[in-house]
């Protein structure tokens, strides 16, 4: 029901956020590659203060989180929320203000980190003087995107909007709690408990709801059929809301945080796995009978690969959260392996898939090359899978060496081949994403396939766009 | 269950608050029984290592800190902690010894809550990964000169090391303000729980 | 996948090829003088471990000139000399394998030599065999200096008191180490052993830096504040006192002092070291520095002192006659360093 005067979707905002997101993605990827080179002892800039590997590592993690993931999630919100509510975002000016504010925040964070102003909160290394600005930026984003949802608040909302609207409450609470409490008020183990909550809430209550919200929208749209079970959607959402935030302390097992909190974290983490299972079942039942689309439809392929990785990573989580396995794998390379699978393999892949789906619609061209898209998919997936398995094995080996009281240096010597493989696999990922970016670039530049207006380019895509009403149909159908 | 107010209040605020209470506030209240010390209460005299730095690098020390007294020691510790954070040392070095995996055999006494209840652990530096060893029991394990060489270029001391070199902690090959602060800080970590300190505390406790 | 496999194997393969050894260089008979007999494989393993753990400071050639050496004081040991500071043989003699094992496992506290206690014993033995190959014309280890049984077990306080007397009296430890009693008391302790008194050092409550054979001046530890390198247990202290510290001004006392005296000194030093870092140590030092001025009584004319009374350390060594080349000829020790 796009209004002719004011188009429902602010396509420009979506496009800008995607471009900015990928720009930061490349910065982060190269930062990650540089850090991997440090561990392989081939660091190209030794002894340069502004390119110190320790700082580069923070650039990698924060660039991915705030530069890549959040930019693309904001793009997703700009695309999805108006379509599901039928109402535009509060203000275009505000959208553009938020865009520039957010790039300013991420850019300032990058500069702050590289000049040595980091904060010692994992995933919140954002310098302390930027933290309040982030809160303001997030508040503006929430005001902007909550308005359309509030306008339809009397209706029953579609699953995606449950996730999105709950996230709008969780994000500021999480950010304020994590960045201010351990920094100014609570030292030591108590602060660690809060930091654990923060790290986990940022993943579980911000990134995950955004990600699943997106999936609940795009998958039915592409498949042109509703989600298999509305009940399982409900279980998934409420399970996540209830159990996920209770996991926080599992980042600091066997620490001086009181043991009851640690036991609680173990149990709720295992509970999350059950919830995850219901969501995964729901999505795989939705695609049942149409799996051939995974071969032809590349966005869908990224989405479902991400879901398989999501299941893997949560399954892994349920195991390594047990205190028994923690003894071995905590502090080892197992953890970065796990983190890469979650952040890149799940949310990164979903967002790349979303870009693959949205980009032709935004620039009005067919994707420049399907071969490049496929190559990007296989290089990234292959690279990530090799990296994940490599770090997994490295982590177990390191853990056992430490446990067996081997001289510390032995764990480094042992890790060396694994770290070389990780650099190699990481290079694969970087090349894959570079190909992807080149494909986007050529798509935007190439006027060959441009259709009369910036609408869908082919009959197939027109059908896709029409199918965008599917989710709300699904909602009403199931209820 | 599908209405906005329910979602905002029950899921958004309710679940968050529940988790906040169970795994944030409860441990926090529990640990709150231990008094949080300020740096002034915690550090009452300059450490042996700090004085040793003053002897080893008299010119640099004089230039950046003056005397090896307690105020300058506190200043150095704070700067060292800030540098430790700025360089993200805590991404590769943890700061707690777990009661499992023979860690007390490797590093020393298992970590306990009291030792973190002070301003120097605001924010805490538990860390997330151990590429290098844990540092909370580092005090006195190596000499100051070892640390100087190690910060200058870790591979010259530990040929297998993957730690980067920190040339900006040095004027030439002499540690500068940051370098001295880092060494003072690292040598402070766990100075309250070295075998010697534990024996002393036990002896003093026994006298009472 | 095959390429991946090669990538993984390549580093190991490289390491293997660089580990082949030149058998002719080493004479196994030389190495066998220690308790443990070296075999070729052991040397190869020892070299690998040495290069991983030790070469940074001690140098790949064992000359104590590794890339880190220029930062370190005291300097890393030069293995070509074949002697060490801390051993169970008389100072300056070849150490036994057990001595090397002890030093490697415990480290030297307060220096840049850390403790390697987590290294498996086998690996340490391999390293030791390899380290021996650095010493040309290696001799057999010197005779172990027997450590008598502890006579003060039942009366530790008496041991400490005896130690204090000896420390400031007969053994005259305070000629290099700081004194820990007030001046009148020092005079009293000297008199108790009929020692000639020729005034105090300029700073009697600080250590006196001395030349050594290691190419650098060495300041003896102040037991109230410094780490004691080879350990603070009485057993360790007795060993160091009995054997001396190789290449430095610290002589061997094993042959000159009775077991009671040796252990007494150890009890006293252990007592001092136990105060390290306490309020008591600070107070003690403060009281010593702030004591009223004291002029020693004029030296009694008899007995005629030996030739070099001006140097308190020389007078101590003359009167107690400890068996150390380094302290008997302190002036030549610096020039005795090898090329």
């Amino acid at each position: 029901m796009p209004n002719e005067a004011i188009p429902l979707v602010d396509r420009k905002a979506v496009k800008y956020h995607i471009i900015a997101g990928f720009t930061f993605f490349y910065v982060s990827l190269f930062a990650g590659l540089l850090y991997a080179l440090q561990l392989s002892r081939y660091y190209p800039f030794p002894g340069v203060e502004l390119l110190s590997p320790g700082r580069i590592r923070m650039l990698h993690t924060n660039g991915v989180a705030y530069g890549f993931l959040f930019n693309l999630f904001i793009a997703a919100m700009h695309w999805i929320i108006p379509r599901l509510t039928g109402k535009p975002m509060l203000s275009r000016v505000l959208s553009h203000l938020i865009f520039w504010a957010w790039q300013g925040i991420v850019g300032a964070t990058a500069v702050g980190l590289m000049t040595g102003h980091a904060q010692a909160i994992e995933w919140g290394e954002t310098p302390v003087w930027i933290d309040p600005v982030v809160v303001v930026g997030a508040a503006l984003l929430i005001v902007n995107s909550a308005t359309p949802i509030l306008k339809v608040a009397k209706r029953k909302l579609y699953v995606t909007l449950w996730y999105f609207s709950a996230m709008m409450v969780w994000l500021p609470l999480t950010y304020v709690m994590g960045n201010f409490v351990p920094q100014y008020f609570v030292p030591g183990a108590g602060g660690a408990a809060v930091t654990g909550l923060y790290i986990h809430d940022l993943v579980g209550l911000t990134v995950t709801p955004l990600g699943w919200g997106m999936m609940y929208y795009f998958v039915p749209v592409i498949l042109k059929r509703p989600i298999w079970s509305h009940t399982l959607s409900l279980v998934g959402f409420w399970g996540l809301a209830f159990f996920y935030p209770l996991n926080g302390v599992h980042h600091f097992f066997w620490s001086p945080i009181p043991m009851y909190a640690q036991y609680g974290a173990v149990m709720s983490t295992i509970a999350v796995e059950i919830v995850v299972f219901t969501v995964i079942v729901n999505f795989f039942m939705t695609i049942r009978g149409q799996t051939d689309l995974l071969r032809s439809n590349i966005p869908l392929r990224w989405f479902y690969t991400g879901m398989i990785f999501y299941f893997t990573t949560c399954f892994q989580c349920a195991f390594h959260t047990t205190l028994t396995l923690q003894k071995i794998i905590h502090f080892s390379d197992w953890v970065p392996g796990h983190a890469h699978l979650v952040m890149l393999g799940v949310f990164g892949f979903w967002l790349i898939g979303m870009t693959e789906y949205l980009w032709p619609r935004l620039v009005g061209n067919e994707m420049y090359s399907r071969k490049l898209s496929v190559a990007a998919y296989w290089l990234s997936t292959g690279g990530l899978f090799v990296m994940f398995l490599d770090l997994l094995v490295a982590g177990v080996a390191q853990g056992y060496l430490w446990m067996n009281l081997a001289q510390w240096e032995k764990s480094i010597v042992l890790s060396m081949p694994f770290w070389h493989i990780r650099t190699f696999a990481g290079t694969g990922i970087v090349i894959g994403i570079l190909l992807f970016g080149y494909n986007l670039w050529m798509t935007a530049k190439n006027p060959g396939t441009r259709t009369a207006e910036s609408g869908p380019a082919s009959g197939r895509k027109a059908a896709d766009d029409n199918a965008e009403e599917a989710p709300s149909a699904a909602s009403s159908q199931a209820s | 269950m599908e209405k906005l107010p329910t979602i905002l209040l029950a899921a958004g605020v309710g679940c968050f608050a529940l988790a906040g209470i169970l795994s944030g506030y409860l441990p926090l209240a529990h640990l709150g029984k231990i008094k949080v010390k300020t740096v002034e209460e915690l550090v009452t005299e300059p450490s042996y290592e700090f004085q040793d730095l003053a002897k080893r690098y008299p010119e640099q020390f004089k230039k950046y800190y003056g005397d090896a007294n307690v105020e300058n020691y506190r200043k150095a510790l704070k700067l060292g902690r800030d540098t430790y954070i700025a360089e993200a040392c805590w991404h590769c070095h943890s700061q707690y010894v777990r009661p499992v995996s023979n860690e007390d055999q490797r590093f020393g006494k298992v970590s306990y809550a009291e030792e973190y209840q002070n301003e120097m652990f605001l924010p805490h530096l538990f860390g997330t990964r151990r590429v290098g060893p844990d540092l909370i029991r580092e005090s006195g394990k190596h000499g100051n000169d070892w640390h100087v060489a190690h910060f200058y270029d870790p591979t010259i001391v530990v040929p297998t090391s993957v730690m980067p070199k920190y040339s900006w902690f040095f004027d030439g090959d002499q540690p500068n303000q940051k370098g001295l602060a880092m060494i003072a800080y690292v040598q402070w970590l766990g100075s309250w729980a070295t075998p010697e300190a534990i024996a002393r505390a036990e002896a003093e406790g026994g006298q009472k | 996948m095959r390429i991946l496999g090669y990538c993984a194997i390549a580093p190991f393969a490289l390491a293997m090829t660089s580990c082949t050894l030149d058998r002719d260089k080493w004479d196994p008979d030389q190495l066998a003088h220690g308790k443990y007999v070296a075999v070729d494989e052991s040397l190869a393993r020892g070299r690998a471990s040495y290069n991983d753990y030790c070469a940074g400071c001690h140098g790949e050639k064992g000359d104590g000139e590794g890339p880190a050496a220029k930062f370190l004081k005291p300097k890393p040991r030069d293995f070509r000399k074949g002697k060490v500071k801390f051993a169970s043989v008389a100072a300056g003699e070849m150490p036994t394998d057990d001595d090397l094992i002890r030093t490697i496992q415990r480290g030297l506290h307060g220096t840049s030599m850390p403790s390697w206690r987590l290294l498996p014993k086998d690996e340490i033995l391999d390293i030791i065999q390899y380290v021996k190959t650095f010493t040309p014309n290696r001799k057999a280890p010197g005779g172990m200096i027997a450590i008598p049984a502890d006579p003060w077990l039942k009366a530790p306080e008496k041991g400490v008191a005896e130690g204090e007397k000896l420390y400031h009296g007969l053994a005259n430890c305070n000629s290099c180490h700081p004194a820990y009693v007030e001046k009148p008391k020092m005079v009293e302790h000297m008199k108790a052993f009929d020692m000639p008194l020729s005034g105090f050092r300029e700073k009697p409550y600080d250590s006196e830096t001395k030349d050594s054979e290691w190419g650098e001046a060495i300041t003896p530890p102040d037991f109230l504040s410094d780490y004691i390198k080879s350990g603070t247990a009485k057993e360790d202290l007795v060993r160091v006192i009995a054997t001396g510290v190789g290449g430095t001004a610290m002589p061997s006392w094993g042959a000159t002092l009775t077991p009671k005296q040796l252990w007494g000194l150890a009890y006293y030093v252990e007592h001092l070291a136990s105060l390290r870092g306490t309020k008591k140590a600070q107070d003690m030092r403060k009281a010593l520095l702030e004591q009223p001025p004291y002029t020693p009584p004029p030296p009694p004319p008899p007995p005629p002192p030996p030739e070099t009374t001006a140097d308190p350390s020389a007078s101590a060594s003359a009167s107690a006659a400890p068996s150390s080349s380094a302290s008997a000829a302190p002036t030549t020790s610096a020039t005795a360093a090898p090329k």
Side-chain angles (χ1 to χ4, degrees), chain C residues 100-149:
Chain C
L100 297 173
I101 292 171
R102 183 172 50 242
T103 300
I104 292 173
Q105 283 187 333
R106 295 185 178 184
L108 295 172
H109 209 178
T111 76
S112 40
M113 174 72 180
S115 152
W116 297 90
R117 65 200 162 80
L118 294 182
L119 269 187
K121 184 90 176 272
D122 292 352
E123 198 169 348
I124 294 180
L125 291 178
D126 291 340
I127 291 174
I128 287 175
Q129 301 313 323
Y130 182 67
V131 163
K132 288 180 190 170
T133 65
F134 293 128
T135 315
N137 307 318
R138 197 186 154 77
K139 293 188 232 80
M144 298 243 303
I145 289 189
I147 305 293

Side-chain angles (χ1 to χ4, degrees), chain C residues 17 35 47 91-92 96 106 117 145 149 168 171 179 193 213 256 275:
Chain C
T17 49
K35 198 167 157 193
R47 168 148 95 176
T96 66
R106 295 185 178 184
R117 65 200 162 80
I145 289 189
H168 301 93
F193 295 97
E213 289 175 22
T256 15
L275 298 176

Side-chain angles (χ1 to χ4, degrees), chain B residues 3 11 30 44 71 74-75 96 102 105-106 113-114 116 118 125-126 129 137 140 151 162 170-171 173 180 188 191 200:
Chain B
K3 286 284 184 65
H30 194 139
T44 51
E71 287 85 35
R74 287 182 194 133
K75 218 169 78 184
Y96 70 93
N102 297 321
Q105 299 287 307
R106 181 188 292 283
E114 286 88 336
Y116 299 102
N118 59 64
L125 292 166
F126 277 6
R129 169 81 175 88
R137 299 284 176 261
F151 278 122
V162 289
F170 290 85
D171 300 334
D173 56 6
L180 292 169
W188 171 76
S191 52
R200 202 159 54 222

Side-chain angles (χ1 to χ4, degrees), chain A residues 176-243:
Chain A
V176 169
M177 173 184 75
N179 278 277
F180 298 116
V181 175
Q183 176 73 30
Y184 301 111
F185 304 111
V186 186
V194 177
T195 318
L197 270 180
Y198 166 73
I199 305 171
H200 210 80
D201 286 359
L202 200 65
V203 183
L205 296 185
T206 308
V207 175
T208 307
L210 282 164
W212 278 117
M214 250 173 66
M215 285 301 101
Y216 274 107
Y217 174 79
F218 283 114
V219 168
V221 162
I222 293 176
L223 291 177
K224 296 198 272 301
R225 56 157 69 161
I227 280 290
W228 182 61
S229 159
H230 186 70
T231 318
L232 283 186
S233 307
L234 272 172
V235 172
F237 173 75
W238 285 99
L240 175 132
F242 188 79
F243 288 116

Side-chain angles (χ1 to χ4, degrees), chain A residues 182-439:
Chain A
Q183 176 73 30
Y184 301 111
F185 304 111
V186 186
V194 177
T195 318
L197 270 180
Y198 166 73
I199 305 171
H200 210 80
D201 286 359
L202 200 65
V203 183
L205 296 185
T206 308
V207 175
T208 307
L210 282 164
W212 278 117
M214 250 173 66
M215 285 301 101
Y216 274 107
Y217 174 79
F218 283 114
V219 168
V221 162
I222 293 176
L223 291 177
K224 296 198 272 301
R225 56 157 69 161
I227 280 290
W228 182 61
S229 159
H230 186 70
T231 318
L232 283 186
S233 307
L234 272 172
V235 172
F237 173 75
W238 285 99
L240 175 132
F242 188 79
F243 288 116
Y244 231 123
L246 289 166
N247 293 357
V249 178
H250 77 194
H251 290 258
F252 299 106
F253 277 146
W254 296 117
S255 73
I257 296 173
M259 273 322 269
Y260 58 79
Q262 301 189 26
Y263 292 134
V266 175
M267 288 184 283
S268 59
T269 309
I270 293 169
V272 165
E273 170 57 22
I274 297 161
V275 176
V276 164
F277 195 69
T278 64
V279 178
I280 296 289
V281 165
N282 204 1
F283 273 87
F284 277 85
M285 291 309 278
T286 307
I287 200 175
R288 198 175 53 154
Q290 276 181 293
T291 39
D292 61 312
L293 275 179
L294 292 177
R295 228 177 302 148
S296 58
N297 190 313
I298 292 174
L300 204 63
R301 199 193 283 186
W302 286 106
F303 292 159
Y304 272 83
T305 310
M307 280 181 224
I308 291 168
F309 282 154
Y310 188 77
F311 181 72
T312 318
T313 178
C314 291
F315 193 62
Q316 190 194 8
C317 197
F319 276 93
H320 72 212
T321 195
T322 53
L323 290 166
T324 320
L325 196 48
Q326 269 296 305
K327 291 178 191 173
I328 300 153
I329 59 97
H330 194 41
F331 291 130
S332 77
D333 264 336
W334 175 294
V335 182
H338 174 72
H340 277 95
L341 198 67
V342 184
M343 283 304 137
L344 177 61
V346 182
F347 303 109
F349 276 21
W350 286 351
L351 290 167
I352 293 170
M354 178 191 84
T355 310
E356 179 95 26
Y357 173 82
L358 288 183
W359 194 250
R361 289 165 174 77
L362 289 171
V363 299
N365 295 339
E366 285 273 22
M367 277 309 256
Y368 168 70
S369 158
R370 189 185 154 84
K371 268 190 189 148
L372 279 177
S373 293
V374 173
Y377 170 81
W378 281 111
L379 275 169
S380 311
T381 311
L384 179 69
F385 196 65
V386 170
M387 182 191 281
F388 168 68
L389 287 182
D390 173 60
L391 292 179
L392 205 72
V393 178
V396 174
Q398 288 158 352
Y400 274 113
L401 273 187
W402 297 338
M403 197 176 201
N404 289 318
L405 291 176
Q407 190 65 32
W408 191 271
E409 287 87 336
K410 291 217 168 106
S411 74
I412 304 287
V413 173
L414 170 111
S415 307
M416 229 2 114
F418 291 105
W419 286 341
H420 290 321
I421 294 172
R422 181 244 285 266
T423 311
F424 176 75
T427 314
I429 298 173
V430 174
I431 293 172
I433 307 293
L434 277 176
L435 290 182
F436 186 83
Y438 176 72
N439 203 9

